[in-house]
Amino acid sequence: QVQLIESGGRLVQAGDSLRLSCVVSGRSLSLYAMGWFRQAPGKEREFVAAITWNSGSVDYADSVKGRFTISRDNGKNTVYLRMNSLKPEDTAVYYCAADRSGSYTYTDSSEYEYWGQGTQVTVSS
């Protein structure tokens, strides 16, 4: 059984940086493409970033491009989301997700089979 556990979310000020981590257990991370999504109160879950199994391809939402960086360490079964220049509109619960295809950076949440419980990021102005 695949489990994803996010960590690293907390309250920060606008302009700060933060790194989220997602540890995968149960199967080797190298089998999966990984994505980060977020959901703000009263809004639908939205795509943030994705990375293929070998880091050969990454994709970002326009709203975070140039500020966020997704990366992975398959040896540590961990995916990261580095977030710089945080804005109040980045406030949300952030979720990591795993896709068994491994080779695509899907932006549609329905393509991901496994999800973590989320970690709260709050950016104050």
Side-chain angles (χ1 to χ4, degrees), residues 11-95:
L11 172 64
V12 296
Q13 293 188 335
D16 284 352
S17 297
L18 203 58
R19 189 180 77 164
L20 305 183
S21 300
C22 172
V23 177
V24 177
S25 62
R27 297 289 299 275
S28 172
L29 177 65
S30 62
L31 296 173
Y32 302 97
M34 299 297 294
W36 284 97
F37 290 78
R38 66 187 182 187
Q39 187 166 18
K43 295 188 177 181
E44 293 188 352
R45 190 171 298 189
E46 66 174 0
F47 169 76
V48 175
I51 187 168
T52 52
W53 72 275
N54 62 350
S55 303
S57 180
V58 296
D59 196 9
Y60 298 95
D62 288 342
S63 60
V64 307
K65 203 168 293 184
R67 299 188 298 123
F68 290 12
T69 303
I70 188 172
S71 62
R72 63 192 295 159
D73 184 338
N74 288 344
K76 295 183 178 180
N77 264 22
T78 303
V79 179
Y80 305 99
L81 184 68
R82 176 69 179 181
M83 305 185 293
N84 295 330
S85 302
L86 282 161
K87 304 175 181 180
E89 51 262 45
D90 294 318
T91 295
V93 177
Y94 283 72
Y95 300 89

